[in-house]
Amino acid sequence: MNLYIVMFLVFGLCFGLASFSNRHLFSEGPCKSEDLKTSKSTGHWIFWLFMCALLWPVMVITGINSAVVLAKRRSAKDK
């Protein structure tokens, strides 16, 4: 059982490292990507990694939702 917990946390940390530069896609609030891209302090990294390590399934779902919303906006903008 401990191996599953460790694998869950390690995958979450890898997800956090991979998604830090695109974390604006996982937000439900009205924050802008420019604001998040300029804040790269150690505290932001640590908070993002811990949050992803524990909540990566939720983060994946919100990322998919954001991708769908952005795709709809692009298609409506192109029409």
Side-chain angles (χ1 to χ4, degrees):
M1 183 59 102
N2 289 337
L3 180 64
Y4 294 120
I5 295 170
V6 170
M7 288 175 49
F8 182 89
L9 294 174
V10 168
F11 184 80
L13 288 173
C14 292
F15 177 79
L17 287 172
S19 63
F20 181 77
S21 61
N22 295 319
R23 64 188 193 268
H24 62 278
L25 297 175
F26 302 96
S27 174
E28 296 179 7
C31 58
K32 298 181 181 182
S33 62
E34 295 85 23
D35 297 339
L36 291 174
K37 287 182 181 177
T38 58
S39 60
K40 294 185 179 182
S41 71
T42 306
H44 291 116
W45 273 97
I46 292 171
F47 180 73
W48 183 254
L49 289 178
F50 280 135
M51 191 170 61
C52 286
L54 300 174
L55 298 174
W56 67 264
V58 175
M59 301 300 281
V60 168
I61 292 169
T62 59
I64 291 170
N65 180 46
S66 293
V68 168
V69 168
L70 291 174
K72 285 181 182 179
R73 284 184 190 167
R74 282 188 204 118
S75 66
K77 190 177 180 181
D78 292 339
K79 288 182 181 181

